[in-house]
């Protein structure tokens, strides 16, 4: 604190500082300060336990084998996500080896007979909806390889359909479209195809590269075709491989505390093979695998890449999206978990920082931290959102900076929007909408900026200005109060004291002031240096009361008016 003070920075011992300040402080104290990302920090932590991720990656690269795709089902509410996940579970039952899936563990695997006659597994994340998808992504866990977008043929593209598309595209995840409810009267699957072209999803039969499959989740028709489409899309768009012959790594996708069994977590293995007896670290929890169950509730002793298993034996419940790894022994696992917990606590303290705001966009741009302004647009009606998006994308700012709208939608600003803005460092634009309950607080805690507008042009002007690096906050002068000087007292100690009557508003000590004589400003940039009522120092005096004011300015006279004012940041509207 003392050194910082000498550098002109007032800070308390527990306050978060920015990188520049730390570097200056380090230089002053003779240290070379390096700022590391949480990922780097964790990497270093693991290295201190002789776990070398880079070496592992190299080793993996030479031992890759194909692995099943991991699929998430997304779409608008009531379009049939749950029903589809049910239908998919059951396609397998007829010719399955384990005869009947009964457990819900957060994910399951089915086998599909591919075109060439081979039986290939596909893993499904069994928590439909993009909330889970984005929440996991916000924690840095990318588990989904392919998204199935469910759209009801009797309803069409809806707000959450669009949200789902945006989430998948932001994560670079290929989409297979399931046009559902084709059994229903009034179902129009072709309309869905043409509607979705507007969102960049062009069906193969229209010359695009997205596979659309007509299904009825209720009657369980089209399910096999849909699964084949998933495999074909995986083969065409992705290389899905992992090294199965090594220590396991992956992600916890669901976890809870069971009365009888303790912490129960469903793990998706992403690399290596997880075995009973392995010592495990999952985020900040740890333990040893006591038993494992597959999606049929069957005891298994090992799980390879893309396989979901329920794991017993952790000492505490991890969070969905926490990544796990196998450690050399229990002690190592515990130490890593403890260190992580400590780091998390620290990070929480330091979290209250601004990410990107429109005003500082030119600064972070200049520092090379970003070259794209990411936006999330929420509005009250879809027409306005589209109009805003359209106009924004037409702003011409040259090649150096880009504008990306990572998500747009109708309705209040939700937790999900803030999650997305957190991952992609975006600014949220609210057009005639407000945040849902607790969302403003969450945005604040995450350092995500939300800007509100009710005129489209103001939003466009602001964003254009931000992109051009010209957006500075606008300040306006706000008058606080006026006082008329009734009498001037000469005092050796205080200079001239203005015996005054407050005419309007409030006169506050320490505010800016100017002196007006016969309607002309005779002195500007003064300050209410002291303020007294009778013999007492006071901080403010209201209209109608008398007071003594010193301005640190000698030439004052009876009849002069003291005006006080302050600069306030003006809201843009
Ligand atoms: P979710 O909110 O997307 O998970 O939707 P659900 O799976 O809960 O389905 C919503 C409603 O649509 C339920 O009443 C389902 O029975 C119904 N539904 C789902 N798929 C179909 C379908 O293929 N045909 C018909 N007729 N109804 C369906």
């Amino acid at each position: 604190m003392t050194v910082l003070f000498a550098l002109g920075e007032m800070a308390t011992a527990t306050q978060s500082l920015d990188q520049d300040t730390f570097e200056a402080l380090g230089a002053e104290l003779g240290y070379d300060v390096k700022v590391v990302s949480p990922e780097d920090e964790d990497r270093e932590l693991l290295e201190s336990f002789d776990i070398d991720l880079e070496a592992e990656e190299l080793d993996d690269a030479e031992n890759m084998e194909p692995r099943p795709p991991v699929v998430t089902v997304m779409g608008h509410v009531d379009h049939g996500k749950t029903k589809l996940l049910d239908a998919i579970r059951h396609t397998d039952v007829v010719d399955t080896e384990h005869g009947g899936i009964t457990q819900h563990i957060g994910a399951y695997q089915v086998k599909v007979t591919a075109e060439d006659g081979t039986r290939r597994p596909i893993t499904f994340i069994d928590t439909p909806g993009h909330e889970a998808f984005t929440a996991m992504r916000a924690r840095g866990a990318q588990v989904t390889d392919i998204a199935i977008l469910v759209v009801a043929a009797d309803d069409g593209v809806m707000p959450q359909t669009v949200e789902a598309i945006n989430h998948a595209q932001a994560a670079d995840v290929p989409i297979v479209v399931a046009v559902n409810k084709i059994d229903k009267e009034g179902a129009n699957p072709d309309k869905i195809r043409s509607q979705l072209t507007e969102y960049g999803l062009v069906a193969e039969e229209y010359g695009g590269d997205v596979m659309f499959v007509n299904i009825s989740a209720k009657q369980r028709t089209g399910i096999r075709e849909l699964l084949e489409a998933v495999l074909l899309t995986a083969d065409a768009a992705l290389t899905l491989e992992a090294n199965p012959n090594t220590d396991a790594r992956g992600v916890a996708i669901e976890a809870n505390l069971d009365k009888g069994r303790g912490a129960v977590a469903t793990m998706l293995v992403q690399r290596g093979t997880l075995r009973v007896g392995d010592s495990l670290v999952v985020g900040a929890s740890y333990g040893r695998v006591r038993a494992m169950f597959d999606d049929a509730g069957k005891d298994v002793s090992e799980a390879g890449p893309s396989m979901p298993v329920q794991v017993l034996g952790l000492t505490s419940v991890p969070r969905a999206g926490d990544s796990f790894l196998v450690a050399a022994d229990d002690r190592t696992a515990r130490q890593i978990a403890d260190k992580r917990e400590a780091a998390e606590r620290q990070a929480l303290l330091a979290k209250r920082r601004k990410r990107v705001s429109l005003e500082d966009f030119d600064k972070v741009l200049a520092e090379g931290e970003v070259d794209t302004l990411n936006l999330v647009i929420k509005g009250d009606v879809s027409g306005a959102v589209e109009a805003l998006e359209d106009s924004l994308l037409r702003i011409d700012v040259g090649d150096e900076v880009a504008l990306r709208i990572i998500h747009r939608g109708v309705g209040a600003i939700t937790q999900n929007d803030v999650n997305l803005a957190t991952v992609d460092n975006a600014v949220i634009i609210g057009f005639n909408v407000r945040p849902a309950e607790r969302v403003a607080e969450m945005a604040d805690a995450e350092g995500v900026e939300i800007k509100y507008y009710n005129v489209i042009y103001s939003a466009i002007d602001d964003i254009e200005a931000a992109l051009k690096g010209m957006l500075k906050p606008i300040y306006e002068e706000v008058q606080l109060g006026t006082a008329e000087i009734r009498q001037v007292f000469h005092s050796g100690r205080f200079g001239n004291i203005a015996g005054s009557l407050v005419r309007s508003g409030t006169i506050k000590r320490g505010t800016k002031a100017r002196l007006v004589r016969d309607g002309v400003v005779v002195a500007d940039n003064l300050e209410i240096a002291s303020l007294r009522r009778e013999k007492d120092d006071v901080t403010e005096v209201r209209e109608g009361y008398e007071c003594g004011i010193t301005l640190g300015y000698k030439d004052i006279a009876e009849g002069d008016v003291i005006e006080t004012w302050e600069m306030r940041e003006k809201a843009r509207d």
Side-chain angles (χ1 to χ4, degrees):
M1 281 164 64
T2 315
V3 177
L4 272 177
F5 189 73
L7 290 170
E9 186 88 28
M10 294 275 266
T12 61
T14 54
Q15 186 177 331
S16 298
L17 303 171
D18 63 23
Q19 187 164 346
D20 291 346
T21 312
F22 269 122
E23 276 162 8
L25 179 63
E28 194 68 23
L29 293 169
Y31 290 100
D32 182 14
V33 175
K34 275 204 203 92
V35 176
V36 296
S37 68
E39 293 76 33
D40 289 343
E41 196 183 356
D42 201 56
R43 194 171 269 256
E44 256 173 47
L45 168 67
L46 294 178
E47 270 164 23
S48 71
F49 287 95
D50 274 336
I51 300 172
D52 185 343
L53 299 182
E54 257 170 58
E56 285 181 9
E57 274 164 33
L58 286 177
D59 177 54
D60 280 353
E62 289 171 5
N63 297 290
M64 291 301 222
E65 287 178 27
R67 66 168 177 86
V70 179
V71 180
T72 302
V73 175
M74 302 200 275
H76 195 72
V77 63
D78 274 350
H79 279 198
K81 298 180 293 290
T82 313
K83 202 93 182 157
L84 173 61
L85 280 163
D86 274 356
I88 293 170
R89 279 166 191 271
H90 288 96
T91 46
D92 201 32
V93 171
V94 203
D95 48 357
T96 187
E97 46 272 25
H98 48 229
I101 299 168
T102 48
Q103 310 291 310
H104 169 91
I105 65 165
Y108 64 81
Q109 227 174 37
V110 293
K111 288 212 177 76
V112 187
T113 309
E115 271 183 340
D116 58 5
T118 55
R119 303 263 297 151
R120 293 173 58 182
I122 304 177
T123 302
F124 283 88
I125 304 293
D126 197 6
T127 44
H130 44 259
E131 286 77 12
F133 178 85
T134 318
M136 273 195 215
R137 232 184 116 230
R139 320 267 324 281
Q142 176 97 317
V143 297
T144 303
D145 298 313
I146 290 182
I148 291 184
L149 179 69
V150 180
V151 190
D154 63 336
D155 197 14
V157 172
M158 298 299 279
Q160 289 168 336
T161 315
V162 180
E163 243 175 61
I165 296 172
N166 293 332
H167 285 279
Q169 286 175 344
D172 247 334
V173 167
I175 294 173
V176 173
V177 182
V179 182
N180 191 27
K181 305 197 186 183
I182 53 155
D183 60 290
K184 278 185 102 167
E185 216 173 298
N188 187 350
D190 288 336
K191 192 182 104 196
I192 307 295
R193 285 173 174 71
S194 67
Q195 272 186 340
L196 282 174
T197 57
E198 284 173 35
Y199 299 92
L201 298 181
V202 184
E204 283 187 326
E205 52 268 45
Y206 287 17
D209 57 2
V210 179
M211 298 193 70
F212 280 63
V213 183
N214 291 346
I215 64 163
S216 164
K218 191 175 183 180
Q219 300 181 343
R220 297 189 180 157
T221 55
I223 307 298
R224 263 174 210 284
E225 290 77 4
L226 180 63
L227 298 180
E228 276 161 28
V230 167
L231 289 178
L232 288 170
T233 302
D235 292 346
L238 307 163
T239 313
L240 300 175
E241 294 180 322
N243 174 10
N245 300 312
T246 182
D247 285 342
R249 241 179 244 307
V251 179
I253 48 182
E254 218 175 75
N256 66 290
L257 193 63
D258 185 288
K259 267 209 197 99
R261 301 187 294 172
V264 179
T266 299
M267 308 287 191
L268 179 71
V269 178
Q270 294 183 305
R271 154 204 197 257
T273 298
L274 184 64
R275 293 189 174 83
V276 171
D278 281 347
S279 296
L280 209 57
V281 198
V282 194
S285 37
Y286 68 96
R288 186 196 289 213
V289 182
R290 209 168 64 218
M292 295 200 296
F293 304 98
D294 68 7
D295 49 19
K298 216 179 68 179
D299 236 321
V300 290
S301 57
E302 53 176 55
S306 295
M307 173 146 174
V309 274
Q310 216 173 31
V311 170
L312 305 190
L314 292 174
T315 52
S316 62
V317 181
R319 293 171 301 181
D322 274 342
S323 58
F324 78 80
L325 62 89
V326 168
D329 49 54
D330 294 353
R331 196 165 144 264
T332 310
R334 194 189 68 236
Q335 284 174 348
I336 295 174
D338 287 349
K339 289 235 159 80
R340 277 187 178 159
E341 204 185 319
E344 258 172 39
R345 235 178 296 126
Q346 290 298 323
L348 210 63
L349 287 175
K351 196 134 193 202
R352 295 186 62 87
R353 64 174 205 275
K354 273 274 172 245
R355 286 164 187 270
V356 176
S357 76
L358 288 186
E359 269 93 12
D360 69 9
F361 181 67
D362 62 328
K363 207 172 112 220
V364 288
L365 194 67
E367 287 163 359
E369 286 175 28
V370 296
D371 54 7
T372 306
L373 176 60
N374 287 331
L375 294 179
V376 171
I377 304 178
K378 290 304 282 275
D380 55 343
V381 287
S382 62
V385 174
E386 274 159 34
L388 190 54
E389 181 179 7
D390 246 30
S391 320
L392 289 178
L393 290 176
R394 252 184 271 128
I395 297 175
D396 182 17
V397 280
D399 299 333
E400 290 103 74
V401 291
L403 179 79
R404 214 173 124 224
I405 292 163
I406 55 169
H407 174 53
R408 83 288 283 159
V410 175
I413 296 161
T414 62
Q415 199 169 332
N416 211 18
D417 299 327
V418 176
N419 266 340
L420 200 60
T422 309
V423 186
D424 287 319
N425 231 339
V427 171
I428 300 178
I429 304 292
F431 185 76
N432 274 336
V433 290
R434 311 297 303 171
E437 206 182 338
R438 292 197 314 276
V439 169
E441 285 160 40
M442 181 187 162
D444 199 42
E446 292 288 347
V448 170
E449 187 187 35
I450 306 182
K451 299 283 268 188
Y452 305 101
Y453 297 92
N454 39 37
V455 181
I456 286 195
Y457 298 107
S458 310
I460 297 169
D461 282 352
D462 270 12
I463 288 157
E464 180 161 11
L467 288 172
K468 291 180 174 162
M470 303 181 312
L471 194 63
K472 296 287 174 287
I474 318 172
Y475 289 99
E476 63 181 349
E477 189 186 306
V478 180
Q479 203 178 76
L480 299 173
T482 58
E484 186 190 326
I485 302 182
R486 292 296 192 76
Q487 207 177 351
V488 177
F489 302 96
H490 302 281
S491 151
R493 260 166 76 208
F494 302 109
N496 288 345
I497 303 171
S500 316
L501 174 69
V502 179
R503 284 287 187 202
S504 68
T506 308
I507 301 292
K508 288 189 184 133
R509 193 170 63 204
T511 53
K512 297 224 160 134
R514 64 172 65 96
L515 194 67
V516 181
R517 186 169 300 158
D518 300 324
V520 178
V521 176
V522 291
D524 213 340
N525 253 326
L526 304 174
E527 191 188 310
I528 306 292
S530 76
L531 188 63
R532 291 193 147 197
R533 291 257 314 135
E534 312 284 338
K535 290 259 175 291
D536 302 324
D537 277 313
V538 291
T539 52
E540 56 175 67
V541 179
R542 266 182 294 153
E543 185 178 329
Y545 289 91
E546 290 187 323
C547 58
I549 300 173
T550 64
L551 293 169
Y553 183 76
K554 273 207 305 276
D555 179 22
I556 56 175
E558 246 170 67
D560 286 357
V561 174
I562 299 168
E563 266 183 32
T564 64
W565 50 278
E566 67 180 13
M567 294 305 280
R568 278 196 200 144
E569 191 176 342
K570 194 179 161 201
R572 293 161 194 274
D573 50 15

